[in-house]
Amino acid sequence: MARVRTVRSLGAVGLVLAAAVTAGCSGSSSGPPAASHASSGSGSGSTTTAGAGAAPAPTESNPPGDIPDNQAYVAFRPSGGAFTVKVPEGWARTGQGGTTVFTDKLNRVEIATVSASSAPTVASVGSEVVSRLRGQVPKFDGPKVSQVNRHAGSAVLLKYQGDSAADPVTGKVVRDAFERYAFYRQGHEVDLTLSGPVNADNVDPWRIVTDSFSWK
């Protein structure tokens, strides 16, 4: 009987040990997935944090028609001309008769030379020139005439708005703002017209161009 009890006791101990081993194995096997899940969650969290902390690349967003601040300018003097004026470097140039035009994207500089027996005045530009432009510029509007001073001396300034010609490819029409400066000396008149979209900030570039005008 003692031998039988011993065998039974050993069997019970064996069952307990087997259960303990099984539980240990089960616990150790479930450990790695839990650790892996935590690692995965940590990785996801660090990626999100890095993305949120990284500064986005700066984006240049100028209104249509803005001339860059770093635009270079070169002197222009027509053949046999009695004046020089700086124009933006690299702009496309066309010419016909006494008129030369420089263009780039939506901006335009027109330089026209004419013979005149007398200097233009605020009154003459306000009547004669405005009347002529009404018939030439689509949706001509808001003319304002004044006398201003530039480095070359006094000039008559006409500001107005009008529609540009339709783009030959897209057909798009842009609402433009115009500044027309009339310079005069000894029978020579130079009409310097600058234009670009009404929402463009080209005050400084246009000032560079008009202040650079000088008689030779």
PDB file of all heavy atoms in Angstrom, residues 157-189:
ATOM      1  N   LEU A 157       1.193 112.117 -65.655  1.00  0.00           N
ATOM      2  CA  LEU A 157       0.858 110.712 -65.392  1.00  0.00           C
ATOM      3  C   LEU A 157      -0.640 110.481 -65.588  1.00  0.00           C
ATOM      4  O   LEU A 157      -1.473 111.187 -65.002  1.00  0.00           O
ATOM      5  CB  LEU A 157       1.258 110.343 -63.963  1.00  0.00           C
ATOM      6  CG  LEU A 157       0.737 108.995 -63.423  1.00  0.00           C
ATOM      7  CD1 LEU A 157       1.260 107.833 -64.259  1.00  0.00           C
ATOM      8  CD2 LEU A 157       1.123 108.838 -61.955  1.00  0.00           C
ATOM      9  N   LEU A 158      -0.956 109.480 -66.394  1.00  0.00           N
ATOM     10  CA  LEU A 158      -2.343 109.051 -66.587  1.00  0.00           C
ATOM     11  C   LEU A 158      -2.473 107.615 -66.091  1.00  0.00           C
ATOM     12  O   LEU A 158      -1.810 106.710 -66.597  1.00  0.00           O
ATOM     13  CB  LEU A 158      -2.736 109.134 -68.071  1.00  0.00           C
ATOM     14  CG  LEU A 158      -4.041 108.433 -68.469  1.00  0.00           C
ATOM     15  CD1 LEU A 158      -5.231 109.037 -67.721  1.00  0.00           C
ATOM     16  CD2 LEU A 158      -4.251 108.486 -69.985  1.00  0.00           C
ATOM     17  N   LYS A 159      -3.331 107.441 -65.078  1.00  0.00           N
ATOM     18  CA  LYS A 159      -3.615 106.096 -64.575  1.00  0.00           C
ATOM     19  C   LYS A 159      -5.011 105.683 -65.031  1.00  0.00           C
ATOM     20  O   LYS A 159      -5.949 106.487 -64.991  1.00  0.00           O
ATOM     21  CB  LYS A 159      -3.554 106.055 -63.047  1.00  0.00           C
ATOM     22  CG  LYS A 159      -2.156 106.235 -62.467  1.00  0.00           C
ATOM     23  CD  LYS A 159      -2.188 106.050 -60.939  1.00  0.00           C
ATOM     24  CE  LYS A 159      -0.800 106.115 -60.338  1.00  0.00           C
ATOM     25  NZ  LYS A 159      -0.821 105.891 -58.856  1.00  0.00           N
ATOM     26  N   TYR A 160      -5.155 104.422 -65.431  1.00  0.00           N
ATOM     27  CA  TYR A 160      -6.463 103.919 -65.847  1.00  0.00           C
ATOM     28  C   TYR A 160      -6.456 102.392 -65.806  1.00  0.00           C
ATOM     29  O   TYR A 160      -5.409 101.764 -65.549  1.00  0.00           O
ATOM     30  CB  TYR A 160      -6.821 104.423 -67.250  1.00  0.00           C
ATOM     31  CG  TYR A 160      -5.859 104.023 -68.347  1.00  0.00           C
ATOM     32  CD1 TYR A 160      -6.076 102.898 -69.144  1.00  0.00           C
ATOM     33  CD2 TYR A 160      -4.717 104.790 -68.608  1.00  0.00           C
ATOM     34  CE1 TYR A 160      -5.194 102.542 -70.163  1.00  0.00           C
ATOM     35  CE2 TYR A 160      -3.835 104.446 -69.622  1.00  0.00           C
ATOM     36  CZ  TYR A 160      -4.077 103.321 -70.386  1.00  0.00           C
ATOM     37  OH  TYR A 160      -3.194 102.971 -71.388  1.00  0.00           O
ATOM     38  N   GLN A 161      -7.603 101.800 -66.050  1.00  0.00           N
ATOM     39  CA  GLN A 161      -7.723 100.351 -66.120  1.00  0.00           C
ATOM     40  C   GLN A 161      -8.363  99.944 -67.435  1.00  0.00           C
ATOM     41  O   GLN A 161      -9.050 100.739 -68.079  1.00  0.00           O
ATOM     42  CB  GLN A 161      -8.564  99.808 -64.954  1.00  0.00           C
ATOM     43  CG  GLN A 161      -7.914  99.941 -63.596  1.00  0.00           C
ATOM     44  CD  GLN A 161      -8.714  99.261 -62.502  1.00  0.00           C
ATOM     45  OE1 GLN A 161      -9.690  98.547 -62.769  1.00  0.00           O
ATOM     46  NE2 GLN A 161      -8.310  99.466 -61.252  1.00  0.00           N
ATOM     47  N   GLY A 162      -8.118  98.698 -67.819  1.00  0.00           N
ATOM     48  CA  GLY A 162      -8.695  98.176 -69.055  1.00  0.00           C
ATOM     49  C   GLY A 162      -8.428  96.689 -69.171  1.00  0.00           C
ATOM     50  O   GLY A 162      -7.606  96.140 -68.432  1.00  0.00           O
ATOM     51  N   ASP A 163      -9.118  96.045 -70.080  1.00  0.00           N
ATOM     52  CA  ASP A 163      -8.923  94.611 -70.300  1.00  0.00           C
ATOM     53  C   ASP A 163      -7.765  94.374 -71.265  1.00  0.00           C
ATOM     54  O   ASP A 163      -7.591  95.119 -72.245  1.00  0.00           O
ATOM     55  CB  ASP A 163     -10.181  93.970 -70.877  1.00  0.00           C
ATOM     56  CG  ASP A 163     -11.253  93.750 -69.823  1.00  0.00           C
ATOM     57  OD1 ASP A 163     -10.978  94.033 -68.643  1.00  0.00           O
ATOM     58  OD2 ASP A 163     -12.358  93.307 -70.182  1.00  0.00           O
ATOM     59  N   SER A 164      -6.992  93.337 -70.987  1.00  0.00           N
ATOM     60  CA  SER A 164      -5.910  92.967 -71.888  1.00  0.00           C
ATOM     61  C   SER A 164      -6.489  92.271 -73.115  1.00  0.00           C
ATOM     62  O   SER A 164      -7.666  91.887 -73.141  1.00  0.00           O
ATOM     63  CB  SER A 164      -4.938  92.009 -71.179  1.00  0.00           C
ATOM     64  OG  SER A 164      -5.577  90.748 -70.963  1.00  0.00           O
ATOM     65  N   ALA A 165      -5.652  92.100 -74.109  1.00  0.00           N
ATOM     66  CA  ALA A 165      -6.064  91.300 -75.257  1.00  0.00           C
ATOM     67  C   ALA A 165      -6.187  89.849 -74.815  1.00  0.00           C
ATOM     68  O   ALA A 165      -5.502  89.401 -73.898  1.00  0.00           O
ATOM     69  CB  ALA A 165      -5.036  91.431 -76.375  1.00  0.00           C
ATOM     70  N   ALA A 166      -7.061  89.098 -75.443  1.00  0.00           N
ATOM     71  CA  ALA A 166      -7.263  87.697 -75.078  1.00  0.00           C
ATOM     72  C   ALA A 166      -6.006  86.880 -75.373  1.00  0.00           C
ATOM     73  O   ALA A 166      -5.346  87.080 -76.399  1.00  0.00           O
ATOM     74  CB  ALA A 166      -8.448  87.115 -75.834  1.00  0.00           C
ATOM     75  N   ASP A 167      -5.668  85.995 -74.451  1.00  0.00           N
ATOM     76  CA  ASP A 167      -4.518  85.118 -74.662  1.00  0.00           C
ATOM     77  C   ASP A 167      -4.782  84.245 -75.879  1.00  0.00           C
ATOM     78  O   ASP A 167      -5.846  83.631 -75.991  1.00  0.00           O
ATOM     79  CB  ASP A 167      -4.309  84.229 -73.426  1.00  0.00           C
ATOM     80  CG  ASP A 167      -3.053  83.382 -73.535  1.00  0.00           C
ATOM     81  OD1 ASP A 167      -3.098  82.336 -74.220  1.00  0.00           O
ATOM     82  OD2 ASP A 167      -2.032  83.748 -72.922  1.00  0.00           O
ATOM     83  N   PRO A 168      -3.832  84.187 -76.837  1.00  0.00           N
ATOM     84  CA  PRO A 168      -4.069  83.427 -78.067  1.00  0.00           C
ATOM     85  C   PRO A 168      -4.257  81.938 -77.839  1.00  0.00           C
ATOM     86  O   PRO A 168      -4.834  81.252 -78.681  1.00  0.00           O
ATOM     87  CB  PRO A 168      -2.805  83.704 -78.896  1.00  0.00           C
ATOM     88  CG  PRO A 168      -1.764  84.109 -77.897  1.00  0.00           C
ATOM     89  CD  PRO A 168      -2.505  84.817 -76.819  1.00  0.00           C
ATOM     90  N   VAL A 169      -3.778  81.406 -76.723  1.00  0.00           N
ATOM     91  CA  VAL A 169      -3.900  79.967 -76.447  1.00  0.00           C
ATOM     92  C   VAL A 169      -5.109  79.657 -75.568  1.00  0.00           C
ATOM     93  O   VAL A 169      -5.943  78.819 -75.895  1.00  0.00           O
ATOM     94  CB  VAL A 169      -2.613  79.426 -75.770  1.00  0.00           C
ATOM     95  CG1 VAL A 169      -2.766  77.946 -75.431  1.00  0.00           C
ATOM     96  CG2 VAL A 169      -1.411  79.646 -76.680  1.00  0.00           C
ATOM     97  N   THR A 170      -5.219  80.369 -74.428  1.00  0.00           N
ATOM     98  CA  THR A 170      -6.285  80.071 -73.472  1.00  0.00           C
ATOM     99  C   THR A 170      -7.527  80.931 -73.672  1.00  0.00           C
ATOM    100  O   THR A 170      -8.604  80.592 -73.186  1.00  0.00           O
ATOM    101  CB  THR A 170      -5.775  80.274 -72.033  1.00  0.00           C
ATOM    102  OG1 THR A 170      -5.467  81.664 -71.841  1.00  0.00           O
ATOM    103  CG2 THR A 170      -4.525  79.437 -71.794  1.00  0.00           C
ATOM    104  N   GLY A 171      -7.360  82.059 -74.353  1.00  0.00           N
ATOM    105  CA  GLY A 171      -8.481  82.982 -74.503  1.00  0.00           C
ATOM    106  C   GLY A 171      -8.745  83.806 -73.265  1.00  0.00           C
ATOM    107  O   GLY A 171      -9.713  84.568 -73.211  1.00  0.00           O
ATOM    108  N   LYS A 172      -7.896  83.701 -72.251  1.00  0.00           N
ATOM    109  CA  LYS A 172      -8.094  84.401 -70.985  1.00  0.00           C
ATOM    110  C   LYS A 172      -7.849  85.896 -71.148  1.00  0.00           C
ATOM    111  O   LYS A 172      -6.913  86.311 -71.810  1.00  0.00           O
ATOM    112  CB  LYS A 172      -7.155  83.829 -69.924  1.00  0.00           C
ATOM    113  CG  LYS A 172      -7.332  84.448 -68.547  1.00  0.00           C
ATOM    114  CD  LYS A 172      -6.410  83.794 -67.537  1.00  0.00           C
ATOM    115  CE  LYS A 172      -6.578  84.400 -66.159  1.00  0.00           C
ATOM    116  NZ  LYS A 172      -5.674  83.764 -65.154  1.00  0.00           N
ATOM    117  N   VAL A 173      -8.680  86.687 -70.499  1.00  0.00           N
ATOM    118  CA  VAL A 173      -8.546  88.141 -70.509  1.00  0.00           C
ATOM    119  C   VAL A 173      -8.232  88.599 -69.089  1.00  0.00           C
ATOM    120  O   VAL A 173      -8.880  88.180 -68.130  1.00  0.00           O
ATOM    121  CB  VAL A 173      -9.829  88.821 -71.013  1.00  0.00           C
ATOM    122  CG1 VAL A 173      -9.735  90.330 -70.872  1.00  0.00           C
ATOM    123  CG2 VAL A 173     -10.102  88.427 -72.458  1.00  0.00           C
ATOM    124  N   VAL A 174      -7.235  89.463 -68.954  1.00  0.00           N
ATOM    125  CA  VAL A 174      -6.799  89.948 -67.643  1.00  0.00           C
ATOM    126  C   VAL A 174      -7.171  91.414 -67.491  1.00  0.00           C
ATOM    127  O   VAL A 174      -7.037  92.207 -68.427  1.00  0.00           O
ATOM    128  CB  VAL A 174      -5.271  89.771 -67.475  1.00  0.00           C
ATOM    129  CG1 VAL A 174      -4.796  90.349 -66.150  1.00  0.00           C
ATOM    130  CG2 VAL A 174      -4.891  88.306 -67.587  1.00  0.00           C
ATOM    131  N   ARG A 175      -7.638  91.753 -66.301  1.00  0.00           N
ATOM    132  CA  ARG A 175      -7.931  93.156 -66.004  1.00  0.00           C
ATOM    133  C   ARG A 175      -6.627  93.834 -65.624  1.00  0.00           C
ATOM    134  O   ARG A 175      -5.973  93.466 -64.637  1.00  0.00           O
ATOM    135  CB  ARG A 175      -8.937  93.251 -64.846  1.00  0.00           C
ATOM    136  CG  ARG A 175      -9.444  94.672 -64.584  1.00  0.00           C
ATOM    137  CD  ARG A 175     -10.258  95.189 -65.754  1.00  0.00           C
ATOM    138  NE  ARG A 175     -10.822  96.515 -65.472  1.00  0.00           N
ATOM    139  CZ  ARG A 175     -11.396  97.261 -66.395  1.00  0.00           C
ATOM    140  NH1 ARG A 175     -11.483  96.803 -67.649  1.00  0.00           N
ATOM    141  NH2 ARG A 175     -11.899  98.440 -66.099  1.00  0.00           N
ATOM    142  N   ASP A 176      -6.213  94.820 -66.404  1.00  0.00           N
ATOM    143  CA  ASP A 176      -4.915  95.461 -66.220  1.00  0.00           C
ATOM    144  C   ASP A 176      -5.039  96.859 -65.629  1.00  0.00           C
ATOM    145  O   ASP A 176      -6.028  97.569 -65.840  1.00  0.00           O
ATOM    146  CB  ASP A 176      -4.167  95.571 -67.550  1.00  0.00           C
ATOM    147  CG  ASP A 176      -3.532  94.256 -67.968  1.00  0.00           C
ATOM    148  OD1 ASP A 176      -3.306  93.391 -67.092  1.00  0.00           O
ATOM    149  OD2 ASP A 176      -3.258  94.088 -69.174  1.00  0.00           O
ATOM    150  N   ALA A 177      -3.986  97.247 -64.899  1.00  0.00           N
ATOM    151  CA  ALA A 177      -3.823  98.623 -64.428  1.00  0.00           C
ATOM    152  C   ALA A 177      -2.704  99.255 -65.258  1.00  0.00           C
ATOM    153  O   ALA A 177      -1.662  98.627 -65.488  1.00  0.00           O
ATOM    154  CB  ALA A 177      -3.470  98.638 -62.948  1.00  0.00           C
ATOM    155  N   PHE A 178      -2.917 100.489 -65.702  1.00  0.00           N
ATOM    156  CA  PHE A 178      -1.967 101.177 -66.574  1.00  0.00           C
ATOM    157  C   PHE A 178      -1.446 102.447 -65.904  1.00  0.00           C
ATOM    158  O   PHE A 178      -2.190 103.155 -65.215  1.00  0.00           O
ATOM    159  CB  PHE A 178      -2.635 101.577 -67.899  1.00  0.00           C
ATOM    160  CG  PHE A 178      -3.068 100.421 -68.754  1.00  0.00           C
ATOM    161  CD1 PHE A 178      -4.258  99.746 -68.479  1.00  0.00           C
ATOM    162  CD2 PHE A 178      -2.312 100.004 -69.838  1.00  0.00           C
ATOM    163  CE1 PHE A 178      -4.680  98.687 -69.275  1.00  0.00           C
ATOM    164  CE2 PHE A 178      -2.716  98.941 -70.638  1.00  0.00           C
ATOM    165  CZ  PHE A 178      -3.910  98.286 -70.352  1.00  0.00           C
ATOM    166  N   GLU A 179      -0.165 102.724 -66.145  1.00  0.00           N
ATOM    167  CA  GLU A 179       0.441 104.001 -65.771  1.00  0.00           C
ATOM    168  C   GLU A 179       1.152 104.532 -67.013  1.00  0.00           C
ATOM    169  O   GLU A 179       2.095 103.921 -67.502  1.00  0.00           O
ATOM    170  CB  GLU A 179       1.433 103.832 -64.619  1.00  0.00           C
ATOM    171  CG  GLU A 179       0.800 103.424 -63.302  1.00  0.00           C
ATOM    172  CD  GLU A 179       1.806 103.379 -62.165  1.00  0.00           C
ATOM    173  OE1 GLU A 179       2.964 103.800 -62.372  1.00  0.00           O
ATOM    174  OE2 GLU A 179       1.438 102.919 -61.070  1.00  0.00           O
ATOM    175  N   ARG A 180       0.705 105.683 -67.489  1.00  0.00           N
ATOM    176  CA  ARG A 180       1.281 106.278 -68.709  1.00  0.00           C
ATOM    177  C   ARG A 180       1.954 107.598 -68.323  1.00  0.00           C
ATOM    178  O   ARG A 180       1.295 108.543 -67.888  1.00  0.00           O
ATOM    179  CB  ARG A 180       0.198 106.515 -69.751  1.00  0.00           C
ATOM    180  CG  ARG A 180       0.692 107.170 -71.055  1.00  0.00           C
ATOM    181  CD  ARG A 180      -0.499 107.509 -71.932  1.00  0.00           C
ATOM    182  NE  ARG A 180      -0.113 108.075 -73.219  1.00  0.00           N
ATOM    183  CZ  ARG A 180       0.124 109.354 -73.439  1.00  0.00           C
ATOM    184  NH1 ARG A 180       0.041 110.237 -72.431  1.00  0.00           N
ATOM    185  NH2 ARG A 180       0.441 109.778 -74.652  1.00  0.00           N
ATOM    186  N   TYR A 181       3.273 107.657 -68.508  1.00  0.00           N
ATOM    187  CA  TYR A 181       4.056 108.856 -68.193  1.00  0.00           C
ATOM    188  C   TYR A 181       4.437 109.556 -69.502  1.00  0.00           C
ATOM    189  O   TYR A 181       5.018 108.932 -70.403  1.00  0.00           O
ATOM    190  CB  TYR A 181       5.323 108.499 -67.431  1.00  0.00           C
ATOM    191  CG  TYR A 181       5.073 107.925 -66.053  1.00  0.00           C
ATOM    192  CD1 TYR A 181       4.709 106.588 -65.896  1.00  0.00           C
ATOM    193  CD2 TYR A 181       5.200 108.712 -64.915  1.00  0.00           C
ATOM    194  CE1 TYR A 181       4.473 106.050 -64.640  1.00  0.00           C
ATOM    195  CE2 TYR A 181       4.966 108.184 -63.647  1.00  0.00           C
ATOM    196  CZ  TYR A 181       4.603 106.855 -63.522  1.00  0.00           C
ATOM    197  OH  TYR A 181       4.373 106.322 -62.271  1.00  0.00           O
ATOM    198  N   ALA A 182       4.133 110.834 -69.592  1.00  0.00           N
ATOM    199  CA  ALA A 182       4.492 111.619 -70.775  1.00  0.00           C
ATOM    200  C   ALA A 182       5.627 112.582 -70.404  1.00  0.00           C
ATOM    201  O   ALA A 182       5.427 113.521 -69.625  1.00  0.00           O
ATOM    202  CB  ALA A 182       3.280 112.382 -71.290  1.00  0.00           C
ATOM    203  N   PHE A 183       6.819 112.316 -70.977  1.00  0.00           N
ATOM    204  CA  PHE A 183       7.987 113.189 -70.767  1.00  0.00           C
ATOM    205  C   PHE A 183       8.164 114.058 -72.012  1.00  0.00           C
ATOM    206  O   PHE A 183       7.914 113.608 -73.141  1.00  0.00           O
ATOM    207  CB  PHE A 183       9.250 112.352 -70.547  1.00  0.00           C
ATOM    208  CG  PHE A 183       9.236 111.511 -69.295  1.00  0.00           C
ATOM    209  CD1 PHE A 183       8.772 110.205 -69.318  1.00  0.00           C
ATOM    210  CD2 PHE A 183       9.702 112.030 -68.092  1.00  0.00           C
ATOM    211  CE1 PHE A 183       8.773 109.417 -68.175  1.00  0.00           C
ATOM    212  CE2 PHE A 183       9.703 111.260 -66.942  1.00  0.00           C
ATOM    213  CZ  PHE A 183       9.240 109.951 -66.979  1.00  0.00           C
ATOM    214  N   TYR A 184       8.632 115.289 -71.821  1.00  0.00           N
ATOM    215  CA  TYR A 184       8.782 116.185 -72.978  1.00  0.00           C
ATOM    216  C   TYR A 184      10.030 117.044 -72.837  1.00  0.00           C
ATOM    217  O   TYR A 184      10.363 117.520 -71.738  1.00  0.00           O
ATOM    218  CB  TYR A 184       7.556 117.093 -73.100  1.00  0.00           C
ATOM    219  CG  TYR A 184       7.643 118.082 -74.232  1.00  0.00           C
ATOM    220  CD1 TYR A 184       7.249 117.727 -75.523  1.00  0.00           C
ATOM    221  CD2 TYR A 184       8.124 119.382 -74.019  1.00  0.00           C
ATOM    222  CE1 TYR A 184       7.336 118.636 -76.568  1.00  0.00           C
ATOM    223  CE2 TYR A 184       8.203 120.300 -75.047  1.00  0.00           C
ATOM    224  CZ  TYR A 184       7.813 119.912 -76.329  1.00  0.00           C
ATOM    225  OH  TYR A 184       7.902 120.819 -77.365  1.00  0.00           O
ATOM    226  N   ARG A 185      10.717 117.223 -74.006  1.00  0.00           N
ATOM    227  CA  ARG A 185      11.832 118.171 -74.052  1.00  0.00           C
ATOM    228  C   ARG A 185      12.110 118.572 -75.497  1.00  0.00           C
ATOM    229  O   ARG A 185      12.304 117.706 -76.354  1.00  0.00           O
ATOM    230  CB  ARG A 185      13.118 117.587 -73.448  1.00  0.00           C
ATOM    231  CG  ARG A 185      14.204 118.645 -73.255  1.00  0.00           C
ATOM    232  CD  ARG A 185      15.480 118.068 -72.668  1.00  0.00           C
ATOM    233  NE  ARG A 185      16.209 117.274 -73.670  1.00  0.00           N
ATOM    234  CZ  ARG A 185      17.465 116.867 -73.510  1.00  0.00           C
ATOM    235  NH1 ARG A 185      18.128 117.156 -72.402  1.00  0.00           N
ATOM    236  NH2 ARG A 185      18.060 116.159 -74.446  1.00  0.00           N
ATOM    237  N   GLN A 186      12.082 119.866 -75.753  1.00  0.00           N
ATOM    238  CA  GLN A 186      12.495 120.441 -77.046  1.00  0.00           C
ATOM    239  C   GLN A 186      11.881 119.717 -78.254  1.00  0.00           C
ATOM    240  O   GLN A 186      12.575 119.256 -79.154  1.00  0.00           O
ATOM    241  CB  GLN A 186      14.021 120.426 -77.150  1.00  0.00           C
ATOM    242  CG  GLN A 186      14.696 121.250 -76.059  1.00  0.00           C
ATOM    243  CD  GLN A 186      16.213 121.127 -76.111  1.00  0.00           C
ATOM    244  OE1 GLN A 186      16.782 120.344 -76.881  1.00  0.00           O
ATOM    245  NE2 GLN A 186      16.893 121.914 -75.286  1.00  0.00           N
ATOM    246  N   GLY A 187      10.580 119.610 -78.256  1.00  0.00           N
ATOM    247  CA  GLY A 187       9.880 119.025 -79.405  1.00  0.00           C
ATOM    248  C   GLY A 187       9.812 117.502 -79.401  1.00  0.00           C
ATOM    249  O   GLY A 187       9.223 116.913 -80.314  1.00  0.00           O
ATOM    250  N   HIS A 188      10.424 116.865 -78.402  1.00  0.00           N
ATOM    251  CA  HIS A 188      10.387 115.395 -78.313  1.00  0.00           C
ATOM    252  C   HIS A 188       9.530 114.956 -77.133  1.00  0.00           C
ATOM    253  O   HIS A 188       9.737 115.404 -76.004  1.00  0.00           O
ATOM    254  CB  HIS A 188      11.802 114.831 -78.139  1.00  0.00           C
ATOM    255  CG  HIS A 188      12.724 115.152 -79.271  1.00  0.00           C
ATOM    256  ND1 HIS A 188      12.669 114.515 -80.488  1.00  0.00           N
ATOM    257  CD2 HIS A 188      13.735 116.072 -79.380  1.00  0.00           C
ATOM    258  CE1 HIS A 188      13.600 114.984 -81.299  1.00  0.00           C
ATOM    259  NE2 HIS A 188      14.262 115.948 -80.641  1.00  0.00           N
ATOM    260  N   GLU A 189       8.569 114.094 -77.409  1.00  0.00           N
ATOM    261  CA  GLU A 189       7.737 113.526 -76.343  1.00  0.00           C
ATOM    262  C   GLU A 189       7.958 112.020 -76.294  1.00  0.00           C
ATOM    263  O   GLU A 189       7.980 111.340 -77.331  1.00  0.00           O
ATOM    264  CB  GLU A 189       6.257 113.820 -76.584  1.00  0.00           C
ATOM    265  CG  GLU A 189       5.349 113.257 -75.481  1.00  0.00           C
ATOM    266  CD  GLU A 189       3.876 113.600 -75.689  1.00  0.00           C
ATOM    267  OE1 GLU A 189       3.596 114.608 -76.369  1.00  0.00           O
ATOM    268  OE2 GLU A 189       3.021 112.857 -75.183  1.00  0.00           O
TER     269      GLU A 189
END
